[in-house]
Amino acid sequence: MRVLKKAVLTGVMALAIAGSAHAADVKIGFVVKQPEEPWFQDEWKFAQKAAEEKGFTLVEIGAPDGEKVQAAIDNLGAQGAQGFIICVPDVKLGPGIVAKAAANDLKLMTVDDRLVGADGEPIESVPHMGISAVKIGETVGQSIAAEIEARGWDMSEVGAIRVSYDQLPTAVDRVEGAITALKAAGFPAENIYDAPQAKTDTEAALNAATTVLNQHADVKKWIAFGLNDEAVLGAVRATESVGIPAENVIGVGIGGAESAINEFKKPNPTGFYGTVIISPKRHGYETALNMYEWIANNKEPEPLILTSGSLALRDTYVDVRKDLGIE
């Protein structure tokens, strides 16, 4: 009996050691298009938590253009990685990324932005975690419309800055969702002005919004929406630069980035009214965990997972962040 117990114990220990060694051998890349952005830094942070829990190695790579994406995939292959998660700088790079991943024998998942093929349709063979962009946009539009009503504004006298980045399908879906909700609430379509940004950062949004404000200097009340918090913060900064008071501006962003939270922490309210927080925890932690399970246990991820967001305001953001597991 003692011999049998010893054999069983030895076998259990061997399995545990083998499992640990297997986890230690797993290497996963996490490639993002804008590593300087707080959203992607948070995704990395939560992905690293998954790595620490499971014992695999996470390789963080910034790749802001197609050439760097190709180099990153080759780099991961040379390092002996088994798979990677990517948020691409251009979704139309899809066929090339799929081919390069296959050439390096790497499993591939996408996050945030979904790859499209030569026909412009999503590449459904690549598992993806993204955001229900239209629904989140509608939440933005509904919250702006509700605040317009709360302030007693006449919608016919209000201008809307649509900070746009139409190269990205997600951006189009978000702003069109907001516009749909605003129109449903009675906002006049002719009062919506397009402010195309060259990049998806605050400076580009500020420049785009400033052009709109200068073209419509007679408008004294403004709302603003766009792809992310940075787009709306840029529009808010633009209103400040032309002397429009904060109480005449309603900007609602998307993301709940650190830049948005810092805006809420300012002593006096600004035109940045709210943000629809989308949790980087799921997008970082869950995708990394799903990739690990795919590599280690051959458990393929769901083909499509869409996450949603929650509206956070100056006096509610702490509770909203806690509810989403961010704090």
Side-chain angles (χ1 to χ4, degrees), residues 257-282:
E258 185 178 356
S259 54
I261 303 307
N262 288 339
E263 198 77 0
F264 292 147
K265 290 178 179 177
K266 290 182 176 179
N268 299 311
T270 70
F272 191 84
Y273 172 70
T275 179
V276 178
I277 298 182
I278 45 182
S279 175
K281 181 176 183 180
R282 288 196 68 189

Side-chain angles (χ1 to χ4, degrees), residues 78-256:
Q79 288 189 51
Q82 296 93 351
F84 68 100
I85 300 140
I86 186 168
C87 179
V88 295
D90 184 348
V91 295
K92 288 181 273 189
L93 296 171
I97 291 171
V98 171
K100 180 67 77 170
N104 283 278
D105 196 24
L106 292 164
K107 296 184 186 300
L108 168 64
M109 289 177 60
T110 53
V111 68
D112 302 335
D113 300 327
R114 197 176 190 188
L115 301 178
V116 299
D119 58 358
E121 295 298 314
I123 301 178
E124 296 182 357
S125 60
V126 178
H128 175 70
M129 176 177 281
I131 300 157
S132 182
V134 173
K135 292 294 184 185
I136 285 178
E138 288 174 350
T139 300
V140 169
Q142 289 161 0
S143 64
I144 292 174
E147 184 59 15
I148 288 174
E149 183 178 0
R151 297 187 188 188
W153 291 2
D154 180 347
M155 285 189 179
S156 67
E157 299 176 353
V158 181
I161 302 174
R162 174 191 183 269
V163 184
S164 61
Y165 191 73
D166 290 347
Q167 302 91 314
L168 189 62
T170 298
V172 175
D173 289 344
R174 292 182 188 184
V175 297
E176 289 307 311
I179 289 172
T180 298
L182 284 166
K183 287 180 178 178
F187 195 90
E190 61 271 20
N191 287 13
I192 300 172
Y193 307 111
D194 193 37
Q197 54 185 149
K199 293 172 61 179
T200 59
D201 60 15
T202 300
E203 182 179 0
L206 185 155
N207 293 336
T210 300
T211 299
V212 170
L213 292 170
N214 287 335
Q215 290 172 342
H216 303 278
D218 56 316
V219 179
K220 305 304 179 185
K221 294 183 175 69
W222 288 92
I223 61 173
F225 51 90
L227 163 67
N228 51 21
D229 289 325
E230 288 72 27
V232 176
L233 284 167
V236 169
R237 296 288 90 85
T239 61
E240 293 167 350
S241 71
V242 298
I244 297 172
E247 60 266 25
N248 284 1
V249 180
I250 305 170
V252 176
I254 294 175

Side-chain angles (χ1 to χ4, degrees), residues 40-56:
F40 295 115
Q41 292 169 14
D42 283 343
E43 283 188 335
W44 277 346
K45 178 180 73 176
F46 289 115
Q48 187 58 50
K49 286 188 177 181
E52 291 167 1
E53 287 180 14
K54 292 295 183 180
F56 64 85

Side-chain angles (χ1 to χ4, degrees), residues 67-81:
E67 184 178 343
K68 288 185 171 60
V69 166
Q70 295 286 312
I73 299 171
D74 283 336
N75 181 284
L76 288 167
Q79 288 189 51

